[in-house]
C-alpha cells in the first residue's frame, strides 16, 4: 500500500483516497485474482495495479484503479509493463474491455480510447469527458455501453 500512497501524494493530497479504493475493492471481494499485480525490484515493491469489477449498463465490467509506480522509479516503463500485462490477462479471462479514469496522453499509448464515442460514460466526470477511457478487447461488441460505476459506488 505504501507504493500507492507515495505515488498519489503531493503538496495537495496524501494518497488516502487511492488507498481507500484498494481497501474497499478488497473488502468487497471485487478484485479478480489475476488482475492485481505488483512489480518487484530487488525485493522492493515498486509498482502496483488493480482492476476491480464494476457495472456497465447492467453488466459486469472491470476498471483499473489504481495504477501506481513509486516516485523514484517513474518513467522506467514499470507502469506500462504492469498495464500491458493486466490487459493481456483481461483478454485471456474473456473480458470485453477494461476501463480507466486517467490522463489520455498516458493511456492512449497503451491502447485506451475515449469512452464517449462508444456510448460509455462515468457520471462524476460527465459524458464525453476524455479522461474516462476504455481499452476494447477482442470480446468487445457495441452492446457494451452505458453508465459505468465502480464496485465501491454500488
Ligand atoms: C502514471 C504512472 C502510473 C506511469 O507509470 P510510469 O512507470 O512512470 O510510466 P512509464 O515509464 O510506463 O511511461 C513513461 C511515459 O509516460 C509519461 N507519463 C507518466 N505519467 C504520466 C501522466 N500522468 N500523464 C501523461 N504522461 C505520463 C512519461 O512522461 C513518459 O513519457 P515518455 O516515454 O515520452 O518519456 C506513474 O507515473 C505514477 O504512478 N504516477 C502517479 C500516480 C498516477 O498518476 N497514477 C495514474 C492514475 S491515472
Amino acid at each position: 500500500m505504501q507504493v500507492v500512497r507515495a505515488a498519489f501524494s503531493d503538496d495537495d493530497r496524501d494518497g488516502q483516497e487511492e488507498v481507500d479504493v484498494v481497501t474497499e475493492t478488497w473488502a468487497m471481494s471485487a478484485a479478480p485474482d489475476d488482475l492485481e499485480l505488483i512489480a518487484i525490484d530487488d525485493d522492493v515493491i515498486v509498482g502496483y495495479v488493480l482492476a476491480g469489477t464494476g457495472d456497465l449498463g447492467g453488466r459486469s465490467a472491470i476498471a483499473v484503479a489504481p495504477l501506481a509506480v513509486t516516485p523514484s522509479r517513474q518513467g522506467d516503463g514499470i507502469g506500462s509493463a504492469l498495464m500491458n500485462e493486466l490487459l493481456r490477462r483481461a483478454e485471456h479471462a474473456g473480458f470485453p474491455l477494461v476501463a480507466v479514469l486517467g490522463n489520455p496522453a498516458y493511456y492512449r499509448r497503451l491502447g485506451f480510447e475515449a469512452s464517449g464515442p462508444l456510448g460509455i460514460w462515468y457520471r462524476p466526470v460527465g459524458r464525453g469527458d476524455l479522461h474516462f477511457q476504455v481499452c476494447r478487447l477482442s470480446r468487445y461488441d457495441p452492446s457494451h455501453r452505458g453508465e459505468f460505476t465502480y464496485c465501491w459506488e454500488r
Side-chain angles (χ1 to χ4, degrees), residues 90-110:
E91 168 71 32
H92 183 72
F95 289 103
L97 59 81
V98 178
V100 73
L101 181 65
N103 191 320
Y106 182 70
Y107 288 103
R108 190 180 305 123
R109 15 174 151 181
L110 296 170

Side-chain angles (χ1 to χ4, degrees), residues 7-8 67-69 74-80 101-103 105-107 109:
F8 287 94
L67 170 65
V69 174
Q74 290 176 6
D76 288 349
I78 295 168
S80 301
L101 181 65
N103 191 320
Y106 182 70
Y107 288 103
R109 15 174 151 181

